[in-house]
Amino acid sequence: STGPSPVLHLKAEYVGETSVNVMWVVNDTASNSYMYRIEVKNGASVMNLMSNLTEVEITELIPGMMYTCTVFAVGADGQTEGEGVSITLDTRPSPVLHLKAEYVGVTSINLTWVVNDTASSSYTYRIEVENGASVMNLTSNLTEVEITELIPGTVYNFTVFAVLAGGQTEGEGVSISQCTRPSPVLHLKAKYVGETSVNLTWVVNDTASSSYTYRIEVENGASVMNLTSNLTEVEITELIPGTMYTFTVFAVVTGCQTEGEGVSITLDTSKSQFL
């Protein structure tokens, strides 16, 4: 008797990192007595599975690897095999690990991450940079990336995907949120200097500055005091007459831990003056 016909419509129904589900169709009238042998090849390594259904879950695979799965219908005698039908597929890379911002600047951020997959030497990485409605995609061949041309004082969501050579198969994305630093404040000056109080004003040009607050560090020798202001000005009171103070103003992004670089001015409270 002739052997079983080759299976039809062989396809991967699901592709994961360490498992794939493969299914197929058979039209032979005798097919309800068939078993199926599935040969799974990756380089020199060959594994054989049996299934009595027209589908199989193949587990314990290596992430980010190319496998060839060949399915043979086996007749009722358990001996006679049909011609094999093959499909080639890649398992997905694992998600990247330990994603973090290594450096945070005003208009740039450096991200780093780690991959443990044995196949990772052939990976590239897609980095999705999202800020509200705006999405930008970058690629990197290394487990790090410098992202430039960002907006100061703005929250960004970065998602990193490991990608197999060829670019068709991606791992699950891993995300991190990070604010860029605000720009330093501009034109810091004293509007009024009294014996025990000082009024400071400054300017900010960042588009995101409506969400900024300001930290004002008041330093006199060993003594340091911190104030905050929601406006681009502050009145500092309870100062000691005739004393030299250094005032440093930092822009702060609300809801983020991110501060801009401080800008300083040094003043003497010795005599009242309007400036």
Side-chain angles (χ1 to χ4, degrees):
S1 68
T2 57
S5 304
V7 305
L8 305 168
H9 311 313
L10 175 61
K11 64 169 195 250
E13 188 68 5
Y14 165 80
V15 177
E17 292 148 30
T18 59
S19 69
V20 297
N21 292 9
V22 175
M23 60 191 303
W24 56 90
V25 171
V26 277
N27 278 347
D28 293 1
T29 47
S31 64
N32 56 4
S33 66
Y34 289 179
M35 293 275 294
Y36 302 93
R37 179 168 73 86
I38 302 95
E39 186 183 87
V40 182
K41 266 181 91 159
N42 156 33
S45 136
V46 180
M47 170 169 75
N48 278 283
L49 306 170
M50 296 298 292
S51 174
N52 46 15
L53 305 171
T54 57
E55 59 183 301
V56 68
E57 182 186 13
I58 305 164
T59 59
E60 297 181 33
L61 302 177
I62 301 167
M65 283 288 202
M66 182 185 282
Y67 287 89
T68 301
C69 301
T70 307
V71 178
F72 304 83
V74 182
D77 61 1
Q79 304 292 313
T80 320
E81 281 192 344
E83 193 184 322
V85 175
S86 295
I87 185 177
T88 298
L89 40 86
D90 296 311
T91 47
R92 293 181 74 185
S94 302
V96 306
L97 305 168
H98 312 313
L99 174 61
K100 63 171 194 261
E102 189 75 0
Y103 164 80
V104 176
V106 177
T107 59
S108 69
I109 287 179
N110 293 10
L111 301 179
T112 65
W113 57 90
V114 171
V115 277
N116 279 347
D117 291 359
T118 48
S120 64
S121 60
S122 70
Y123 291 0
T124 59
Y125 303 92
R126 178 168 75 86
I127 302 95
E128 193 178 84
V129 180
E130 191 246 331
N131 154 33
S134 135
V135 178
M136 171 171 77
N137 278 284
L138 306 171
T139 56
S140 174
N141 295 327
L142 306 172
T143 56
E144 58 183 302
V145 67
E146 182 187 11
I147 303 161
T148 58
E149 297 180 32
L150 301 176
I151 302 166
T154 301
V155 181
Y156 285 89
N157 205 44
F158 302 102
T159 308
V160 178
F161 304 82
V163 184
L164 285 190
Q168 297 308 302
T169 307
E170 282 191 343
E172 196 182 320
V174 175
S175 295
I176 184 179
S177 274
Q178 180 65 53
C179 294
T180 46
R181 293 181 74 184
S183 302
V185 305
L186 304 168
H187 312 313
L188 173 61
K189 62 172 195 260
K191 205 162 66 168
Y192 167 78
V193 178
E195 289 185 9
T196 60
S197 70
V198 169
N199 290 15
L200 301 179
T201 67
W202 57 90
V203 171
V204 277
N205 278 347
D206 291 358
T207 49
S209 64
S210 59
S211 71
Y212 291 0
T213 59
Y214 302 93
R215 179 169 74 85
I216 302 94
E217 193 178 85
V218 181
E219 194 242 334
N220 147 34
S223 135
V224 178
M225 172 171 75
N226 278 284
L227 306 171
T228 56
S229 174
N230 295 327
L231 306 172
T232 56
E233 58 183 301
V234 67
E235 182 186 12
I236 303 160
T237 58
E238 298 180 31
L239 301 177
I240 302 163
T243 303
M244 186 77 78
Y245 284 92
T246 299
F247 303 98
T248 307
V249 178
F250 304 82
V252 182
V253 184
T254 310
C256 283
Q257 300 310 303
T258 318
E259 279 191 344
E261 196 182 319
V263 175
S264 296
I265 186 174
T266 299
L267 300 166
D268 196 325
T269 55
S270 56
K271 50 190 184 298
S272 295
Q273 48 190 308
F274 284 92
L275 302 170

